[in-house]
Structures are given as structure tokens and as C-alpha cells.
Amino acid sequence: AAMELPPSHYSVTRAAALAAGYVCHRLGGPGHGLALRAVRHARRQDIDGVGRKYYLELVLEDIMDNDRTVNCTAEVLYHLGNKNIAPDVQFTIEGELKNTDEADNIFYNRVKSLEKELVAENIPDSHGNVSPEMQPIQLLAWVASGYVIWQNSTENTKFQLAQIKHVKQVKRSDEYLEFDYKILLHEIVSQDIIPWQMTVLWHPQHGVQVTRDSRQPKHASE
Amino acid sequence: DQVLHIVPETFQQVQHLQHLCSTLLLDLWKPLQPEDIWAGEDLHIRVPAPLVQEVKDSLAQHMISYKVLIPDVQKLVDQSMPRERSSHRQVPEGYVYTQYHPMEKIYQWMSQIQESNSELVTQHYLGKTIENRTMYYLQISQPSDKTKKIIWMDCGIHAREWISPAFCQWFVKEILQNYKSDPKISRFLQNLDFYVVPVLNIDGYIYSWEKDRLWRKNRSPHMNGTCYGTDLNRNFNSSWGSIGVSYNCSSEIFCGSGPESEPETRAVAQFIERKKNDILCYLTIHSYGQYILTPYGSTTKPPSNSEELMHVAEKAAAALMGKYGTSYEVGPTSLILYSNSGSSRDWAHMIGIPFSYTFELRDNGTHGFVLPPDQIQPTCEETM
């Protein structure tokens, strides 16, 4: 039987962060991203021989316009034993997401028509500033990091994208845009800052895909 | 643009005015709708500049008299706008509280604050950091013959949490600018002293400006200088080293070689220990997460005054939310966040300080440690 949990309990907020990352990765793009606003309700169930399942009712907000929210029901199953399998996530969304076709196409055409590949560093900068031209690049990283977060989360971790250290566009002959990102993830329980590489593909009609990702070694502390 | 004041005398005039308003889409300030225009009642209309002559001609044609209530709307708007930099009568001229400042500037700010507010503020030596920098606290105290209880607030124990020192500076500025005019603040100061440490982990803060923005710990060298930094908030003598820490220097939650092994920790602990009988409330400011955390991190067993602690924290969170709708979660660290030991907040409570809280300021993770400067003001205002 499923046990009800207070929404502020750390096991709930960790599962919720993971679910939100997954949802954002599935639905997001350079023009629209989602972030966890609140947990309305949470239950947990231990399933013998399988793992532990969380049943969550979440409120997600639109990063570009945080007066806009959607309700989300999600189920997160952490598998028993082998910690190398990503948790299973299922979700439904209630409410409409903003249509960003126009902004997406403008960004797509802008990047496609660049003569030299786009390159940038430190987004945001130390003071938290992001130039308007870089906002879609930042949002794309946020959305893609949802995939990395989902793939690498356990009940004892809570990840968040902290900063983009470096991003470089990789020119392609097909219609997709490709970016090679070096990001920093913040893991709250260990307080670690973990460098991670991810290769991100995007097309306005085909959504966001992370085709390759790998944890990077930390530089030796000075 | 001009605002005209008209008192229609006849029904025909009313009709003409309604017609004018709807065809020219004029901005009715009073009443709100053309249907509510009545003979004998005040009418205030804003007329856009290009239409002013046409409207006046039309009124003249229909023998409708008017007065010009506001001859230049834009000028009035400009005058009523607050100046970019709020007036710094009692605080350093030109210090911008909505920007992040390097340590050098913060040192200067402390001296200036004391100089221009010497009747209320004194700067005191607290100790030295591992790299031999001086730690100060600011004492905000209204002279009086009664001994007052103390509220202690430290900021910047973790280097990368820049919004925290920004908040301490803001807090001091707010008190100094408003203590004469704001009855709440002046009542506070009659009965309480504030002791504020704007930056506790000075070496770490400087390192986050110069070398690694996401640095957290202090800069104490370990293993022959191959590894640096102890997490000051795991270094206090509260169940030190028991849970939620690492014994490895390369970890961000390295608890140090022993409780109070770090000079920064000792500086704070020794001072608070001496004054503990007078300290009513210990506050330590962090980011991010939007929490007001109560003891303990090292155990889920609730503190003796748990109900009172929660009650006060919940009221604080409600007041905070009242400002901009920002929601803060309230509760013990061990239930809401994670287990940890050696935190300053737990230690303060364990030695007898009744009200001990960790504030985790904005945001919820979207920007995390790298909070943009345009959020400094709202974060500080709501936390105030």
C-alpha cells in the first residue's frame, strides 16, 4: 500500500526534482523550459523485488514566464539493486504549454545561418548575467541537463544545472542543430560541483536529444 | 499629453463628449467609462499630445468649457519616478546594494558605514582567517542604560552563495536608513542589538571572485598543499564528524581535522560562547533553496523548543511570502534537506541559544548559486 509523505520531505523533493528534469527534457526546447515550482502531494510504495515508487503531484512553471504553470502527475520508480539503471518516469501534464514556434524558428534560422560555429563560455557569468542572444542556448542546456539528471539520479542525490562552462556548435549537413556542452552540475547532498559533457541535438519539430554524455574529471584543486 | 477637466452642463454636451471619447479612443481617468459621464459631474480625460488641438477645437465648437488639469503628463511621470540610486544620506554615497561586491569593496563599506553612523554602528574585530585576513562584525546598538539581548546574523559562510553577503549589506543599510522613521525598527533597537558578520568565509569569497565561482569551503591547506578547504558549516562542535560529512579533503563537505579546527570557526564559536547568555537568536544566511531550516541536521529528534521554533519560522515564511509571493519551506534540516553534522546552527542551539535558524535564500535551482543581480533587491526586500 502506498504511504503518504509530507511534500517537503527530502525523499520527495529529490524524486520531484528528477521527475521535473525528465519532463522538461521531453517537452522543452530553446524557447521553453519547465522547472519545479511545488509538490502538491506525494505517496511512496515499496514494491517487493522491484524497487521503490513515488507517486507525485507537481506544479511546474514556465522558466521564461513564471506566472505560467502546469500541473503534472508523475510516477518515479527507483530500481532495486543495480544503480546503473535510470529510474523509470511516467508523467501526464494538465494544462497547455506555451507555443514557441516562432521564437524557435527564429533561433533555428539564426544559428543555421551563422558563418562561423557558435562558441560561448560561462553562461551565466559570475554575476548571474546572461545576454539575450545566449538565453536560448542556456535554456537548451537546462532542458538537455534534465536528461543527464534523470539518467544519473538515485534516492540519495539531487542534481541541478549550475552553469555552462563552455558550449560549441558542431556544424551538421542535415537539418539538426548540434551543440557540444561542458556544464557544471550541482549535487545537493554531497554539495559537489560535477563537470559533465553533453552532446545535444535539436530541431524545432523534433525536440531535444542528448546523443552522448559523460562525467568529466574534476581538475585538481589548486 | 494633457489631462483636461470638464464639467458638462447639458445632455448634448454629455453626448458629444461620449462621442469624442469613443471615436478618438481617449483615456478616461474619471469616470472609467463613457456611459458614466453625467451632466454636472467631474470629467477627467487624458488626451494624447497629437490630438490635443483637435479635441480643444471640438470642445470650443460645442461651447464646452474646460480646464487643463495636467499640462504635461510625461513631466509628472518623470518627477514621480524614484531615482536610480536611492538616496544615501546615512550610507556611503554611491554604494550600489543591487550589485555583488568584491571583498575589498566590502571592507571599505564597513569602515564607511561605521564612520557615517557612529552613533549606532561600531566595527569590531572577530578573528583572522587561515590566510590571515581580518574578520569583522558590525554591532548595531542604540545607546541605552539597559543591557540588551543580541541577535546574531552571519553571512557568507559558503563562498559561492553571493546573495548571502549581499543580503547582510542590504540589511544593515535598511536598518540605518529607516531606524528613525520606521516604528518597528526603532522598537527593535530599543530592546535588541544586532551583530552582523557581512562575510564570514572571507578567503573563500575572494577565491570565488578570482579563481572558481562555485567554490564553497575555506582555503585551509591539507595534505601538503595538494588539497584545500574545510566546509565551515561542518566544522562546528555539534555531533562533529558523525553524519553527512566526508573525512576526505577533496569533498565539498569535508569536516576538517577536528571540531573547530578552522580559525574562522573558532573566531565565531569563541565569541558566541562568551556572549551566549545574551544571545536570543542565531541566524546564518545561505543560498539556495528557499528554506528556513531549524535544528537539527544531525538527528531527527526534535529540539526541546521545537514548537516555538517552528511557529516563529512559519510566521517568518508567511511574512516573506506576503511580499512577492515567494514560497519558503520551513522545517528541520534532517527532514527537509539531508543529514549533516557540525553545522553552526545546530551548535548554537546546543549551547543554549533558543532561536537558531538557517535561511536558504533564493532561488529554487533555476539559477542556483549564480543568482542574477536583478534578483538582489526583491530577495533582500522579502527577507527583510
Side-chain angles (χ1 to χ4, degrees), chain B residues 161-356:
Chain B
E161 299 166 9
W162 285 15
I163 186 67
S164 166
F167 174 71
C168 266
Q169 291 165 71
W170 180 283
F171 180 86
V172 170
K173 175 246 320 166
E174 277 296 303
I175 301 268
L176 295 179
Q177 267 182 352
N178 299 307
Y179 75 96
K180 289 191 182 131
S181 53
D182 185 327
K184 264 202 209 140
I185 298 184
S186 66
R187 207 175 70 206
F188 260 121
L189 290 177
Q190 273 161 31
N191 300 305
L192 295 163
D193 287 347
F194 286 102
Y195 287 36
V196 179
V197 180
V199 184
L200 200 159
N201 178 7
I202 296 174
D203 300 340
Y205 185 70
I206 293 176
Y207 193 78
S208 75
W209 270 76
E210 296 178 352
K211 293 275 172 36
D212 181 356
R213 175 61 176 85
L214 295 173
W215 188 259
R216 169 183 165 89
K217 306 181 286 179
N218 76 347
R219 291 294 299 164
S220 59
H222 298 272
M223 295 173 12
N224 277 329
T226 57
C227 178
Y228 281 78
T230 299
D231 183 344
L232 295 174
N233 205 33
R234 301 284 186 279
N235 189 239
F236 282 78
N237 197 9
S238 43
S239 310
W240 177 86
S242 59
I243 192 173
V245 295
S246 166
Y247 306 111
N248 198 325
C249 168
S250 53
S251 164
E252 298 279 10
I253 48 178
F254 172 52
C255 54
S257 49
E260 296 185 14
S261 58
E262 308 305 300
E264 295 92 343
T265 313
R266 278 198 306 274
V268 172
Q270 276 162 15
F271 182 85
I272 293 187
E273 178 73 53
R274 252 187 15 240
K275 300 268 199 177
K276 69 178 174 189
N277 292 321
D278 290 322
I279 301 179
L280 177 64
C281 178
Y282 173 84
L283 295 173
T284 178
I285 312 293
H286 295 236
S287 76
Y288 58 89
Q290 293 171 201
Y291 303 109
I292 301 178
L293 299 168
T294 59
Y296 296 107
S298 50
T299 167
T300 48
K301 185 177 124 205
S304 48
N305 62 338
S306 160
E307 256 180 57
E308 214 185 350
L309 270 173
M310 283 297 289
H311 180 70
V312 171
E314 268 154 14
K315 289 198 92 171
L320 203 157
M321 187 167 205
K323 187 83 184 169
Y324 293 114
T326 310
S327 81
Y328 269 57
E329 292 279 3
V330 175
T333 301
S334 53
L335 287 182
I336 303 199
L337 209 49
Y338 41 52
S339 298
N340 68 355
S341 56
S343 75
S344 64
R345 177 218 49 232
D346 281 1
W347 175 80
H349 192 271
M350 286 176 182
I351 62 163
I353 295 171
F355 294 98
S356 186

Side-chain angles (χ1 to χ4, degrees), chain B residues 25-38:
Chain B
L25 298 171
L26 299 178
D27 178 12
L28 265 177
W29 282 16
K30 178 182 164 140
L32 293 174
Q33 297 182 97
E35 304 86 84
D36 297 325
I37 299 178
W38 292 95

Side-chain angles (χ1 to χ4, degrees), chain A residues 64-82:
Chain A
M64 298 301 286
D65 170 12
N66 48 20
D67 286 331
R68 241 187 133 101
T69 59
V70 285
N71 292 328
C72 173
T73 358
E75 286 174 19
V76 177
L77 172 62
Y78 293 100
H79 294 281
L80 253 188
N82 188 353

Side-chain angles (χ1 to χ4, degrees), chain A residues 10 14 126-127 186 191 222, chain B residues 160 213 228 288 335 337 373:
Chain A
Y10 63 77
R14 288 174 199 175
S126 284
H127 292 244
H186 172 226
Q191 288 294 340
E222 278 143 79
Chain B
R160 59 196 181 198
R213 175 61 176 85
Y228 281 78
Y288 58 89
L335 287 182
L337 209 49

